C-alpha cells in the first residue's frame, strides 16, 4: 500500500527547507531529504492517519482533535530537532 503525500506535508516541507518523497522503507510513509539529497529520516507508519489525511477524509474539526492528541502523546520525541519524531511532527502533523 503506497502513501500519497498530502498538500499539507508538501507545504510543511517547503517551510523546513527539506524534500519529501514516498518512502522506500517498508511500512513508512515518507522519506525526508535535505536540499543536497542526503536522507535525513523515514517517518510515519503506513497504518496510521496523519493531519493531512484526516483533514481530507474526516474534516478540520476531527483532524484538529487528532493533532492535539498526537502532540500530547509524542511530546518527548517531537521537540528534538532533527530526530524522526521532529520530522513526523513537523511534516505529518
Amino acid at each position: 500500500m503506497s502513501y500519497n503525500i498530502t498538500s499539507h506535508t508538501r507545504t510543511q516541507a517547503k517551510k523546513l527547507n527539506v524534500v519529501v518523497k514516498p518512502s522506500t522503507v517498508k511500512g513508512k510513509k515518507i522519506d525526508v531529504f535535505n536540499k543536497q539529497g542526503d536522507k535525513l529520516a523515514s517517518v510515519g507508519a503506513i497504518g496510521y492517519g496523519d493531519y493531512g489525511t484526516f483533514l481530507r477524509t474526516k474534516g478540520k474539526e476531527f483532524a484538529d482533535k487528532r493533532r492535539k492528541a498526537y502532540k500530547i502523546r509524542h511530546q518527548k520525541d517531537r521537540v528534538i530537532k532533527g530526530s524522526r519524531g521532529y520530522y513526523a511532527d513537523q511534516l505529518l502533523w
Side-chain angles (χ1 to χ4, degrees):
M1 180 163 113
S2 160
Y3 174 75
N4 293 323
I5 299 172
T6 64
S7 59
H8 169 77
T9 298
R10 291 192 191 284
T11 302
Q12 294 302 102
K14 282 185 181 180
K15 289 179 186 176
L16 286 178
N17 204 27
V18 295
V19 176
V20 292
K21 297 179 183 177
S23 185
T24 56
V25 177
K26 184 178 179 182
K28 293 293 184 181
K29 291 179 182 177
I30 59 174
D31 288 336
V32 183
F33 298 88
N34 63 17
K35 291 293 183 179
Q36 292 75 36
D38 301 321
K39 186 174 178 180
L40 302 173
S42 293
V43 298
I46 286 279
Y48 295 93
D50 57 70
Y51 188 74
T53 303
F54 287 140
L55 208 61
R56 187 177 63 235
T57 61
K58 306 248 181 176
K60 182 162 174 40
E61 186 178 339
F62 182 83
D64 286 344
K65 285 180 184 177
R66 298 311 306 152
R67 174 191 262 175
K68 184 177 179 181
Y70 173 87
K71 291 192 180 271
I72 290 168
R73 192 169 61 248
H74 292 278
Q75 183 58 37
K76 287 185 179 179
D77 66 341
R78 71 184 187 86
V79 295
I80 302 168
K81 193 166 184 169
S83 70
R84 291 179 303 196
Y86 172 80
Y87 287 116
D89 177 58
Q90 294 297 309
L91 297 170
L92 298 174
W93 290 97

